[in-house]
Amino acid sequence: MVDPMGMLLTELRASSPLVALVSTRISADEDPTSDQGKTRVRAVDLGGPIGRVGDRRPGLQSLIYALRCYGPSKDAQGRPISTGPITARQIAGACVDALHQRGPRTDASGRFVIKSSVASIGGLLIDPDTREPYYTVSVEVVAAAQEAA
Amino acid sequence: MAGARVVLRRGAQGELERAAGFGLLNYLHHLEGAAKDNAPVRGGRRSFAPDGPVGGTLLRSIHSVVYLDGRRLTGDAQDENKQALPDYVAGRGVAGFVGSNSQYGGFVHNGTVKMPARPFLTEALAETQGDAPGLFRDGMRAALRRRL
């Protein structure tokens, strides 16, 4: 099975409005500790493959990803700030603009995404450990399970 | 010359929508069961604290409801923790919801800064979506049979 998450991360990193908000801090799941308190996007694979290699039908997979979009919780001097939720929502919106209703495309590695769309932006949450504000963007992706020639 | 006469049976559309609601509920109960099978339980399966006392609050908070034209079709008003279910905004037509009304269900499902995701609901969706057409059909058929 080919995992298209890397391709989506590359597309997010190519989005200039998103990069303006989070710089290079777009990655899969776990946090480097140095990023805590800063704006960032963390992608989580929520699973859900429906096709497998070797199926009679074309090997397609339907996947759901969650993008946790964190706003800042501190300013440059380390003081708490209150505008974090607004920035987090802007980051979520930039993720939607980068991925919503995008049609077929391939990347240099042969990964083939047929469609990506955003199902929802959740409500504002505060991380229970770090108190950082974030929104969760749910992205549905239909992609080939094998590399395209 | 043979002819056909079509008679509009008033109320039939309402009966069909109601039956569709029961069809959806039949599948959502199945999805709820699969989500509960996948849900982490403290001190039990998929536990973050395997040595802790056995919990299960998250598992018991998973529930399913179906709305028809903004009103709950049937079922309990509480989850298994005896907590009132939220009022979902359902709008017109048939709408169904499966989820947890624990305050931390979303954190467990999607992960946090310090906790990996345990996506019990989307895993259940992937496991059960092949059963959906059959369960939907059976639930709808049973509801229509009761009405005839």
Side-chain angles (χ1 to χ4, degrees):
Chain A
M1 297 287 271
V2 173
D3 184 359
M5 183 192 272
M7 185 175 171
L8 297 181
L9 292 176
T10 303
E11 290 176 356
L12 289 172
R13 287 173 188 142
S15 163
S16 49
L18 186 57
V19 169
L21 289 162
V22 301
S23 184
T24 58
R25 296 182 293 274
I26 302 170
S27 63
D29 213 6
E30 289 314 311
D31 256 350
T33 309
S34 59
D35 285 349
Q36 282 186 19
K38 298 176 183 171
T39 58
R40 63 196 185 279
V41 175
R42 291 288 173 263
V44 184
D45 183 358
L46 298 182
I50 56 168
R52 293 180 299 278
V53 176
D55 278 0
R56 282 188 296 170
R57 64 183 173 185
L60 300 179
Q61 50 182 338
S62 171
L63 299 159
I64 303 174
Y65 295 106
L67 305 176
R68 298 200 308 262
C69 303
Y70 290 91
S73 55
K74 296 171 187 168
D75 65 12
Q77 283 75 44
R79 292 173 302 207
I81 56 173
S82 60
T83 56
I86 299 169
T87 309
R89 185 61 180 77
Q90 289 173 333
I91 295 168
C95 289
V96 173
D97 290 342
L99 297 176
H100 187 48
Q101 296 291 17
R102 288 198 58 195
R105 68 264 194 197
T106 56
D107 71 357
S109 305
R111 289 177 289 200
F112 180 28
V113 168
I114 296 164
K115 185 179 181 184
S116 63
S117 59
V118 171
S120 67
I121 302 176
L124 174 68
L125 292 171
I126 305 294
D127 189 278
D129 291 313
T130 61
R131 312 306 300 166
E132 296 170 276
Y134 70 98
Y135 284 87
T136 305
V137 177
S138 296
V139 185
E140 296 176 349
V141 176
V142 179
Q146 293 168 291
E147 289 170 5
Chain B
M1 188 175 169
R5 183 163 165 259
V6 177
V7 178
L8 180 65
R9 192 176 144 211
R10 295 189 189 284
Q13 187 184 347
E15 286 177 28
L16 277 174
E17 282 187 351
R18 188 171 176 281
F22 278 104
L24 180 60
L25 187 62
N26 199 33
Y27 167 63
L28 294 188
H29 281 323
H30 183 54
L31 177 59
E32 177 189 330
K36 286 179 174 177
D37 283 346
N38 289 327
V41 176
R42 186 186 62 197
R45 62 171 179 268
R46 305 185 82 184
S47 178
F48 296 102
D51 299 326
V54 175
T57 304
L58 173 64
L59 183 149
R60 290 190 299 270
S61 73
I62 299 171
H63 60 274
S64 52
V65 288
V66 168
Y67 285 77
L68 177 60
D69 289 336
R71 288 192 302 182
R72 189 178 294 151
L73 194 61
T74 183
D76 296 331
Q78 295 179 330
D79 65 12
E80 293 172 21
N81 293 318
K82 306 295 181 196
Q83 298 294 313
L85 299 184
D87 283 323
Y88 295 101
V89 181
R92 274 191 56 76
V94 178
F97 300 86
V98 177
S100 160
N101 63 345
S102 69
Q103 293 180 342
Y104 57 93
F107 295 135
V108 176
H109 193 274
N110 293 338
T112 67
V113 169
K114 296 192 175 176
M115 182 171 70
R118 298 275 205 281
F120 54 89
L121 201 53
T122 49
E123 287 171 352
L125 191 63
E127 288 167 13
T128 62
Q129 61 186 359
D131 305 328
L135 289 167
F136 189 89
R137 182 190 60 226
D138 292 347
M140 195 169 175
R141 190 175 282 165
L144 283 173
R145 202 177 294 131
R146 281 198 298 271
R147 301 286 295 177
L148 297 176

